[in-house]
Amino acid sequence: MNLIELFRHETDVAAIPAGQAVFRAGEPGNVMYVLISGTADVMVGDVVVERAEPGALLGEMALVEHAPRTATVTAVRDCVLVPIDAARFHFLVQQTPYFATHVMKVMAERLRKMDLRLLEAQAKKPG
Amino acid sequence: MNLIELFRHETDVAAIPAGQAVFRAGEPGNVMYVLISGTADVMVGDVVVERAEPGALLGEMALVEHAPRTATVTAVRDCVLVPIDAARFHFLVQQTPYFATHVMKVMAERLRKMDLRLLEAQAKKPG
């Protein structure tokens, strides 16, 4: 699913200049974002776990869980993002099952990456 | 959402005795499971990342991504599980938006745990 296509006519966007944070770990997370243009780094602590490119979904965890952000996302190049609040998110999930499946796919990819990271850490351990 | 309630009248179940694997890392993953009774360990390499209790969702990543299993799940106590194949999964997502939201919530919780694990690993690093 091409999220850029789905949100291309959006007028209510957030423009974040390079170097500035889209959101920070620990903040409450009431919206998620679709990255329309630009590049952003997703950092957990001081590790970049993902370099987000246009079409990426950001901040969906806090929205789904009603919990604080776990990651800090910073614009590496000027970013334009579409914010999606909880009401709209649930509307999209209900009206567009492919959107729901897409969100799950993105989360599964991220979980897989984290699992691989854990496997690598085990391989590096002496003994 | 109580998944046990949703699947309580299911007759097509899998019974896995304690000590046996529900699935293993590397296997193709065509179904996910809802754990109805019993306890199972989710292992990534030799680390138990989760102890699954009744109501837990297992194996959803491979189903969503059409990719091999990343984790091995082993019954710690005798398990009864409801297998859900891709067709039924997509039907559930379309017909039961709360099911979709629940799957996302479970995945978000797991991602959050993995993020915390990464943060802890950073904190332990010397320097």
Side-chain angles (χ1 to χ4, degrees):
Chain A
M1 170 179 248
N2 191 332
L3 288 186
I4 298 181
E5 275 303 308
L6 191 63
F7 295 101
R8 66 181 305 173
H9 298 298
E10 205 68 27
T11 51
D12 178 16
V13 299
I16 310 288
Q20 283 193 23
V22 179
F23 55 78
R24 289 173 205 279
E27 289 175 359
N30 304 316
V31 292
M32 63 167 221
Y33 297 92
V34 174
L35 183 58
I36 299 298
S37 67
T39 307
D41 274 353
V42 182
M43 298 188 72
V44 173
D46 51 16
V47 172
V48 177
V49 292
E50 186 170 332
R51 172 147 288 192
E53 301 287 350
L57 217 62
L58 296 163
E60 77 292 342
M61 277 170 63
L63 186 71
V64 165
E65 284 197 288
H66 309 288
R69 305 287 187 198
T70 49
T72 295
V73 173
T74 306
V76 176
R77 293 205 192 86
D78 294 357
C79 287
V80 173
L81 308 108
V82 174
I84 299 172
D85 65 11
R88 187 165 182 203
F89 179 74
H90 291 294
F91 177 82
L92 280 164
V93 168
Q94 281 173 39
Q95 299 299 315
T96 321
Y98 286 112
F99 175 78
T101 315
H102 180 79
V103 174
M104 288 176 200
K105 212 169 272 188
V106 169
M107 294 174 87
E109 275 165 31
R110 286 181 181 155
L111 262 168
R112 184 173 297 267
K113 269 195 218 166
M114 294 303 278
D115 285 353
L116 287 177
R117 205 178 276 275
L118 179 59
L119 281 173
E120 282 168 15
Q122 289 175 47
K124 273 183 205 150
K125 246 188 235 163
Chain B
M1 168 178 252
N2 191 332
L3 288 187
I4 298 181
E5 276 302 308
L6 191 62
F7 295 101
R8 67 182 304 173
H9 299 298
E10 205 67 29
T11 52
D12 178 16
V13 299
I16 309 287
Q20 284 192 21
V22 179
F23 55 78
R24 290 174 205 278
E27 289 176 358
N30 304 316
V31 293
M32 63 166 220
Y33 298 91
V34 175
L35 183 60
I36 299 298
S37 67
T39 308
D41 273 353
V42 182
M43 297 189 71
V44 174
D46 51 16
V47 172
V48 177
V49 292
E50 186 170 332
R51 172 147 288 193
E53 301 287 350
L57 218 61
L58 296 164
E60 77 294 341
M61 278 170 63
L63 185 72
V64 165
E65 285 198 288
H66 311 287
R69 305 286 188 198
T70 49
T72 295
V73 173
T74 306
V76 176
R77 293 205 193 85
D78 294 357
C79 287
V80 173
L81 307 109
V82 175
I84 299 172
D85 66 10
R88 188 167 183 201
F89 179 74
H90 291 295
F91 178 82
L92 280 164
V93 168
Q94 281 174 39
Q95 300 299 316
T96 321
Y98 287 112
F99 174 78
T101 315
H102 180 79
V103 174
M104 289 176 200
K105 212 169 272 187
V106 169
M107 294 174 86
E109 275 165 31
R110 287 179 181 157
L111 262 169
R112 185 173 295 269
K113 269 195 218 164
M114 293 303 278
D115 285 353
L116 287 177
R117 204 178 276 274
L118 179 59
L119 281 173
E120 282 169 17
Q122 288 174 46
K124 273 182 207 153
K125 249 188 233 162

